[in-house]
Amino acid sequence: MDIVERFINYTKFDTQSAEDSQTVPSTSKQLIFAKYLKEELEHEGLEDVEMDEKGYIYATLKANVKKEIPTIGFISHYDTSPDASGANIKARIVKNYDGKDIVLSEGIVSSPSKFPEMKAHIGEDLIVTDGHTLLGADDKAGIAEIVQAMCYLRDHDEIKHGDIRIAFNPDEEIGMGAHHFDVEKFGCEWAYTMDGGDLGDLEYENFNAASAKIHIKGVSVHTGYAKGKMLNANRLACEFNAMIPDTELPETTEGYQGFYHLLAMETRTEEAKMSYLIRDHDRESFEKRKDFMEACAAKMNEKYGEDTVKITIKDQYYNMKEKIDPNMHVIDIVLQAMQETGVPPKVEPIRGGTDGAQLSFKGLPCPNIFAGGVNFHGPYEFVSIQVMEKAVDVIVKICEITAGFND
């Protein structure tokens, strides 16, 4: 099976995760695909294949040399984003892309004028959707690349390698993918998530992240008798949000700049609920951002009365750079692999997070490598077949280079 057939087959499974679920995985339909993956890995001849009750899959490609080589791993997630439908995905191939608009379906056009990233793939074969669902390259492209690389190494015994562990997990898109990942069972000295973007992406810096939940208690009174009595939570929610600087939002920042993001809000006169994301690459600035949110709540309470505004802030993940810096050989190997496979590296900070961030803080250094998808989480998502093939080459080369790590 080639990588295109493998990937398109994966997209036929609806594996959307759910933010508000209390189960693991967050949706039972993820387990349907997980069971399929487990059977596929067994069919392809990998060893130690297992899937736990939460849907985490582990497997091994055994070493083909006797000398001591570090055990390394490759990881991808199989859930897709809640931001767009993942059901009834109709993937198709646009061969030899000519740089012009792609009509996904009637009235839905993917245009390089809106998505200039498309221009980097002129002459390549692109897998796209029909414009009504996401594609699922995030991160089924990563899974396809890992499985394809393991099959290639299986069939090319001349390429020497140590034990290679692979793992596929649910619920990355809702920030829970690494929570139940068994690092001890995985048994690797280091690993790589294949969950990055376009060709050459290599990421080992990410945001420090926290969530902030705001609860505003209002007082509802008939508007005809409201003077001196009503406390309109709708208005207070607007007032709270107005304290957030306009220059520190996702839509007004880039690179290493942090932000506050109003993710959701539900309001009525007597009650308002607001959900924020807090992000910053710098740990000290991150702590100051959390303090600022607390101060905003305190200012509101001073004005409108104690306990009018309650805030709950929870850390979600931290910048993996703290854990990668002492283990830079993990990055050096990828850079060498990219150089030897003709991939220009793009080392940039992630304006987000990956499972690798949490795994790095669980003792498994785990930077993020490109999987090829572009325009994630929406109906204009696409992936280049040639970029997926390059990702396979990089995985194979990493395994080969690691075989000589202790020489």
Side-chain angles (χ1 to χ4, degrees), residues 231-293:
L231 188 60
N232 191 335
N234 297 297
R235 185 176 59 77
L236 267 59
C238 295
E239 183 176 341
F240 184 94
N241 191 61
M243 288 191 277
I244 306 299
D246 290 343
T247 55
E248 298 181 35
L249 308 175
E251 58 267 41
T252 59
T253 55
E254 61 184 353
Y256 285 95
Q257 296 173 319
F259 60 74
Y260 308 90
H261 175 49
L262 177 57
L263 184 65
M265 62 188 300
E266 177 185 343
T267 73
R268 57 185 191 276
T269 301
E270 65 180 12
E271 183 182 42
K273 297 178 181 179
M274 309 169 74
S275 177
Y276 284 89
L277 302 180
I278 304 172
R279 301 289 188 263
D280 207 296
H281 279 91
D282 181 79
R283 189 66 172 265
E284 184 177 346
S285 296
F286 174 62
E287 297 299 329
K288 288 181 179 178
R289 288 188 182 280
K290 292 190 290 182
D291 291 343
F292 172 76
M293 293 291 279

Side-chain angles (χ1 to χ4, degrees), residues 121-336:
H121 299 283
I122 294 174
E124 299 175 8
D125 304 317
L126 308 184
I127 305 176
V128 301
T129 74
D130 66 353
H132 295 285
T133 69
L134 48 67
L135 177 63
D138 180 14
D139 191 24
K140 289 170 183 170
I143 297 174
E145 291 154 5
I146 292 170
V147 175
Q148 204 70 26
M150 296 305 103
C151 292
Y152 186 88
L153 288 169
R154 176 201 64 197
D155 297 338
H156 291 78
D157 202 51
E158 73 276 10
I159 302 175
K160 304 307 176 187
H161 60 83
D163 282 350
I164 304 165
R165 292 281 278 162
I166 66 174
F168 305 132
N169 60 268
D171 290 342
E172 188 271 353
E173 297 291 0
I174 59 171
M176 301 295 291
H179 284 211
H180 301 282
F181 192 103
D182 193 331
V183 169
E184 184 176 353
K185 178 190 288 185
F186 198 43
C188 294
E189 294 192 33
W190 68 85
Y192 303 95
T193 50
M194 299 298 298
D195 191 22
D198 213 341
L199 181 70
D201 282 359
L202 171 59
E203 301 156 328
Y204 64 94
E205 297 181 69
N206 60 274
F207 278 136
N208 296 290
S211 66
K213 304 291 185 183
I214 314 294
H215 183 268
I216 300 175
K217 183 172 62 176
V219 178
S220 181
V221 180
H222 188 286
T223 54
Y225 307 93
K227 186 175 181 180
K229 301 172 185 176
M230 178 183 287
L231 188 60
N232 191 335
N234 297 297
R235 185 176 59 77
L236 267 59
C238 295
E239 183 176 341
F240 184 94
N241 191 61
M243 288 191 277
I244 306 299
D246 290 343
T247 55
E248 298 181 35
L249 308 175
E251 58 267 41
T252 59
T253 55
E254 61 184 353
Y256 285 95
Q257 296 173 319
F259 60 74
Y260 308 90
H261 175 49
L262 177 57
L263 184 65
M265 62 188 300
E266 177 185 343
T267 73
R268 57 185 191 276
T269 301
E270 65 180 12
E271 183 182 42
K273 297 178 181 179
M274 309 169 74
S275 177
Y276 284 89
L277 302 180
I278 304 172
R279 301 289 188 263
D280 207 296
H281 279 91
D282 181 79
R283 189 66 172 265
E284 184 177 346
S285 296
F286 174 62
E287 297 299 329
K288 288 181 179 178
R289 288 188 182 280
K290 292 190 290 182
D291 291 343
F292 172 76
M293 293 291 279
E294 295 273 9
C296 288
K299 186 175 181 179
M300 294 285 287
N301 284 329
E302 183 177 349
K303 183 176 180 179
Y304 293 107
E306 189 176 354
D307 293 332
T308 299
V309 177
K310 292 185 178 180
I311 182 169
T312 303
I313 297 177
K314 291 184 178 180
D315 287 358
Q316 295 171 308
Y317 52 82
Y318 302 108
N319 190 344
M320 74 169 89
K321 188 176 187 293
E322 293 181 28
K323 302 299 181 182
I324 299 297
D325 277 348
N327 297 282
M328 282 302 291
H329 61 277
V330 175
I331 302 300
D332 294 338
I333 288 171
V334 183
L335 293 173
Q336 182 181 343

Side-chain angles (χ1 to χ4, degrees), residues 362-396:
K362 293 177 75 171
L364 180 68
C366 196
N368 193 37
I369 300 174
F370 71 95
V374 182
N375 295 337
F376 296 150
H377 296 193
Y380 299 99
E381 183 183 8
F382 70 89
V383 65
S384 162
I385 293 173
Q386 286 76 13
V387 174
M388 291 176 67
E389 291 170 342
K390 276 296 186 182
V392 173
D393 293 343
V394 170
I395 294 170
V396 170

